[in-house]
Amino acid sequence: MYSNIYQANNSNIQKAAQIIKNGGLVAFPTETVYGLGANVYNAKAVASIFEAKGRPAFNPLISHIADINFLNEYVEVDSRAMSLAKHFWPGPFTMVLKRKEHNTSIDLACAGLPTATVRMPNNQIALELIKQSGVPIVAPSANRSQTISPTTAEHVFESLGTRVDMILDGGKCDVGVESTIVDVTGKDVVLLRAGGVALEDIEEFLNEKVIISHGEPDKPSSPGQLLKHYAPNHRFQININEPEDGVFYIGFGQSERADINLSPNGDLNEAAANLFAYMRLADELAGEKGIAMAPIPETGLGLAINDRIRRASYR
Ligand code: TXA
Ligand code: MG
């Protein structure tokens, strides 16, 4: 049934790299979520990402690199950006940087913006694929637009099916929520999306406050996020301590009532890693009363979790 899922061994990574070079689409694991990858320089391939996802074409994509030296090819890197890169990469940390003017071949990947968005994932399969492809790989999460991000190869298949040429199976993603995105083009560092690196860790490293952008959620170009983004099909309520009878309840921390529990010990990292898979499961198992989730503390990865579930609960 899973006709295009391949075990991520060396020979399949080689095949996948060939597909990327030839302008095809490969879904691959990263430490955050699975990405739907294409050659950043091949506009036709980049366009087919938008098509496969059913995503509005004005949404800019993240370029995934395996080597810090790639940065100098198409973005301006000042000393602050370089030190952030050295500290947080490889890892779930993404920077919006100023593009170098001459590099128009990445126009579509950048949705025509004067910025490019880059990260180095902390996943050996992803890094190997990028190296063997010989180009940065642009990759949004490997799911249809406005649905839950995939954290296993099967999730990718369920969402995209054979719209993708090959799905490299590297098991379950460790982090489970997308990368933290910061804009470093201005004087202040601005958080565009909470994610796998905690805001506190960035502030501690920089020794300065990071500005939190609330953006314009209906205009996907700025923080690039639509409110409905992660919506399950069922009614989904958040911050619920005492769910009604019949509601499928996703717990956090100790809970007798929970149908499933993101982390019985109240560990936010574990909760983040389980989040999308459990939301899917809840969507499958819930009845007409829908789904409710326990309150999640607004610290560490809790910021990213709360951001995602607020979007998912938005009607
Ligand atoms: O963890 C991740 O970041 C995953 C894995 C695959 O790396 N990727 C991911 O990509 O989540 P995507 O496309 O689903 O989300 C990236 C978000 C989009 O909402 C996009 O609009 C925003 O980042 N974005 C990208 N470039 C931007 C830019 N130059 N300015 C503002 N927002 C940008
Ligand atoms: Mg996405």
Side-chain angles (χ1 to χ4, degrees), residues 6-10 12-14 16-17 20 26-31 34-35 64-66 121-133 137 153 166-174:
Y6 292 79
Q7 205 52 47
N9 56 30
N10 284 340
N12 285 333
I13 293 175
Q14 249 172 42
I20 296 278
V26 173
F28 62 98
T30 79
E31 80 281 35
Y34 275 70
H64 296 71
I65 61 172
N122 187 18
N123 176 294
Q124 284 315 314
I125 298 162
L127 292 171
E128 197 51 42
L129 176 66
I130 299 162
K131 278 183 206 153
Q132 294 203 21
S133 303
I137 295 181
M166 181 175 189
I167 302 170
L168 277 177
D169 188 351
K172 183 172 170 250
C173 301
D174 294 335

Side-chain angles (χ1 to χ4, degrees), residues 119-151:
R119 91 173 181 102
M120 188 190 292
N122 187 18
N123 176 294
Q124 284 315 314
I125 298 162
L127 292 171
E128 197 51 42
L129 176 66
I130 299 162
K131 278 183 206 153
Q132 294 203 21
S133 303
V135 291
I137 295 181
V138 273
S141 50
N143 54 293
R144 293 282 287 174
S145 197
Q146 305 201 359
T147 64
I148 301 170
S149 291
T151 51

Side-chain angles (χ1 to χ4, degrees), residues 80 184-189 208:
R80 180 181 61 187
V184 295
T185 58
K187 185 174 156 291
D188 294 312
V189 174
E208 64 179 57

Side-chain angles (χ1 to χ4, degrees), residues 25-297:
L25 297 184
V26 173
F28 62 98
T30 79
E31 80 281 35
T32 59
V33 299
Y34 275 70
L36 177 61
N39 175 352
V40 67
Y41 297 119
N42 183 329
K44 228 174 126 190
V46 175
S48 67
I49 291 183
F50 295 123
E51 194 192 326
K53 279 186 67 83
R55 173 184 237 197
F58 41 73
N59 231 351
L61 300 174
I62 299 172
S63 297
H64 296 71
I65 61 172
D67 177 345
I68 263 183
N69 294 321
F70 257 133
L71 276 180
N72 295 316
E73 280 198 29
Y74 54 68
V75 286
E76 307 284 352
V77 198
D78 59 16
S79 60
R80 180 181 61 187
M82 190 47 89
S83 65
L84 283 165
K86 285 185 175 151
H87 187 76
F88 288 107
W89 286 350
F93 180 77
T94 299
M95 285 191 288
V96 175
L97 294 150
K98 281 196 190 114
R99 271 169 69 180
K100 285 195 171 152
E101 304 238 339
H102 60 266
N103 221 326
T104 53
S105 56
I106 59 172
D107 266 348
L108 187 58
C110 299
L113 296 173
T115 51
T117 309
V118 190
R119 91 173 181 102
M120 188 190 292
N122 187 18
N123 176 294
Q124 284 315 314
I125 298 162
L127 292 171
E128 197 51 42
L129 176 66
I130 299 162
K131 278 183 206 153
Q132 294 203 21
S133 303
V135 291
I137 295 181
V138 273
S141 50
N143 54 293
R144 293 282 287 174
S145 197
Q146 305 201 359
T147 64
I148 301 170
S149 291
T151 51
T152 66
E154 288 77 16
H155 293 164
V156 177
F157 185 84
E158 281 158 20
S159 193
L160 294 174
T162 50
R163 289 187 181 93
V164 40
D165 297 307
M166 181 175 189
I167 302 170
L168 277 177
D169 188 351
K172 183 172 170 250
C173 301
D174 294 335
V175 176
V177 290
E178 297 91 339
S179 59
T180 300
I181 305 181
V182 293
D183 183 332
V184 295
T185 58
K187 185 174 156 291
D188 294 312
V189 174
V190 179
L191 179 77
L192 297 181
R193 178 176 75 182
V197 167
L199 177 64
E200 295 91 323
D201 292 345
I202 302 171
E203 291 186 328
E204 192 187 304
F205 176 73
L206 288 171
N207 200 17
E208 64 179 57
K209 276 273 167 221
V210 169
I211 311 286
I212 298 178
S213 157
H214 295 289
E216 296 168 79
D218 290 326
K219 282 203 195 125
S221 68
S222 26
Q225 299 272 300
L226 293 159
L227 277 178
K228 261 183 89 242
H229 211 90
Y230 300 88
N233 293 316
H234 285 88
R235 176 174 82 143
F236 179 52
Q237 302 165 280
I238 57 175
N239 288 320
I240 303 293
N241 276 311
E242 285 171 24
E244 297 162 45
D245 285 344
V247 165
F248 190 92
Y249 188 49
I250 308 177
F252 174 80
Q254 253 192 2
S255 164
E256 305 258 293
R257 169 64 175 83
D259 292 296
I260 44 178
N261 200 319
L262 288 171
S263 171
N265 299 328
D267 176 340
L268 285 166
N269 291 13
E270 183 186 23
N274 288 329
L275 180 69
F276 292 135
Y278 284 16
M279 279 169 58
R280 264 168 214 286
L281 191 65
D283 213 17
E284 273 167 36
L285 299 178
E288 60 186 27
K289 291 271 178 74
I291 308 164
M293 190 180 283
I296 308 292

